[in-house]
Amino acid sequence: MNIKKVVALAAAGALAASLALFGCSSGGGTDDATKDKGASGADAGYALVNDGKLTVAASLDFPPFENLNGDKPEGFAVDLMNLLAEEMGLECNYLPSTKFDTIVPLIKSGGKADVGVSSITINDDRLEKVDFTDVYCDVNQSITVLKTSGITDVAQLEGKKIGAQSGTTGYEWAAENIKDSEVIGFDEMTAVFLALQSGQIDGVAVDLPVANYYVRTYTDCEVIKEIPTGEQYGIAVSKDNPELTKALNTALKAVKDNGKYDEIVAKWLQ
Ligand code: ARG
């Protein structure tokens, strides 16, 4: 991604309008799914870690996609996984929150979870390790700063400290595009925003819908820039379990066709 390609949104109105867009709609996704549905586990030709259950690994710190409400997982992706599991005749079961940069390796090595669902952007590096389902959401990156910082543009962050979650596309984007910056990786997204508030870092690079969500709580912070990285989220599945990927794609198509996908978009993302 070339920083020069980043579109500067000059007018505050244009910025506000564009920040409201999330790019999740039932129109997206590809349709090469199979026709069968309703079977589960061995009957359907795929393996499951626990019989009758779809076991999900997620980093539950990424609202509005996956987050913890007390000890209960909630968010757009949590609702989506429950819908997909229901379509497949399975029960959806979330593991305790898992550090983001361990999820793809965990799915690759197998045995603990069937799927990794953590707003994982599909990219070449990850595609070498795992398979992904069809896309379930489109997002861009963003930069957030403290309102009092006077920073209004990415160029002003050159030579400064940027925080991001370790192993994320936000971390990579900042490291590659903000000149002379020091990018600091954190395990948890919440820790990144706390570091911004305490002045430990000068900016945060994270998926735009998540930045928009955090600044509702961290009201002294503001999103100053949308970075059009054009990222697409997919569900990570082991390369040894291609029938599970197919079954998930069939279920994803079904929930897009029957309107339930649009309902959860309206609930979480608009
Ligand atoms: N989309 C970004 C990536 O794939 C960030 C995902 C972080 N997810 C999370 N649940 N904390 O790198």
Side-chain angles (χ1 to χ4, degrees), residues 59-62 66 100 118-121 126 141 165 167-170 207 231 233:
S59 177
L60 297 166
D61 58 355
F62 221 59
E66 51 267 325
F100 180 75
S118 241
S119 310
I120 306 175
T121 301
R126 292 167 181 167
Q141 276 301 310
Q165 189 169 33
T168 61
T169 49
D207 305 19
E231 298 178 43
Y233 295 166

Side-chain angles (χ1 to χ4, degrees), residues 101-255:
D101 59 6
T102 67
I103 294 174
V104 165
L106 181 136
I107 297 303
K108 180 173 155 56
S109 54
K112 290 241 163 60
D114 302 306
V115 288
V117 187
S118 241
S119 310
I120 306 175
T121 301
I122 303 170
N123 65 22
D124 289 345
D125 191 41
R126 292 167 181 167
L127 279 165
E128 275 175 24
K129 300 172 184 116
V130 291
D131 285 342
F132 283 95
T133 61
D134 292 337
V135 173
Y136 68 86
C137 204
D138 292 82
V139 302
N140 282 326
Q141 276 301 310
S142 68
I143 296 291
T144 301
V145 299
L146 274 183
K147 282 179 181 167
T148 52
S149 67
I151 296 171
T152 53
D153 199 84
V154 178
Q156 289 170 270
L157 286 167
E158 288 179 8
K160 296 216 150 58
K161 291 188 177 131
I162 314 297
Q165 189 169 33
S166 302
T168 61
T169 49
Y171 184 103
E172 259 173 54
W173 187 88
E176 284 168 16
N177 293 282
I178 306 180
K179 236 176 101 216
D180 302 325
S181 60
E182 182 190 342
V183 187
I184 303 176
F186 295 81
D187 285 353
E188 288 264 336
M189 219 36 245
T190 315
V192 189
F193 279 88
L194 286 173
L196 182 64
Q197 280 191 317
S198 71
Q200 193 194 336
I201 54 171
D202 305 292
V204 172
V206 67
D207 305 19
L208 177 62
V210 177
N212 281 336
Y213 200 95
Y214 269 97
V215 298
R216 285 194 221 159
T217 315
Y218 295 76
T219 50
D220 48 350
C221 306
E222 72 180 328
V223 183
I224 54 154
K225 197 65 78 184
E226 172 169 7
I227 319 281
T229 48
E231 298 178 43
Q232 301 194 300
Y233 295 166
I235 299 168
V237 185
S238 162
K239 285 185 185 292
D240 297 332
N241 211 359
E243 294 304 320
L244 179 58
T245 307
K246 275 192 208 160
L248 286 162
N249 282 337
T250 305
L252 184 58
K253 186 176 182 323
V255 301

